[in-house]
Amino acid sequence: MVKLVWRRLSIRTTRQTLARHVEIKAAYDARKRALRKEAPRVGEERGVEQRLRRVTAENDRLRAENARYREQFVQLQYNAYKYGLQKHQLEERLPKVDRESSA
């Protein structure tokens, strides 16, 4: 800022002197706040990138798992047809488990 004043106005000054001028200080502070809002902090940016990588990896893993389940379903569906199982047999509820009895 001091160099800019020197180049444009040919006035030698210090940062402290410029900060004493209310209008200059207000403009400087306003620009500083605007810059903070525009650019995320380095730590926040890194955290967002890490989270994005983690979520993307999880998404890829879930897609692969879903594909395996689909393949398994098609296999089960074929075997049910092959061995003559009826839809109502496949949709039967599981028996209730009596957890209080010892086996």
Side-chain angles (χ1 to χ4, degrees), residues 13-77:
T13 186
T14 64
R15 179 185 54 79
Q16 291 83 0
T17 303
L18 292 175
R20 284 190 208 129
H21 292 275
V22 176
E23 290 130 357
I24 293 173
K25 175 121 174 68
Y28 178 81
D29 290 341
R31 181 64 181 141
K32 193 173 174 181
R33 280 191 303 275
L35 287 172
R36 281 187 187 149
K37 288 180 182 176
E38 288 175 15
R41 294 186 193 129
V42 174
E44 290 175 0
E45 197 172 279
R46 199 173 312 129
V48 169
E49 288 173 5
Q50 288 173 350
R51 185 172 181 340
L52 178 61
R53 278 195 297 273
R54 195 170 49 248
V55 168
T56 301
E58 181 182 13
N59 193 15
D60 292 342
R61 181 187 62 79
L62 291 172
R63 285 180 193 272
E65 186 177 338
N66 192 26
R68 285 190 302 274
Y69 283 139
R70 285 176 189 233
E71 288 174 13
Q72 184 180 18
F73 177 76
V74 170
Q75 178 184 354
L76 293 171
Q77 189 178 30

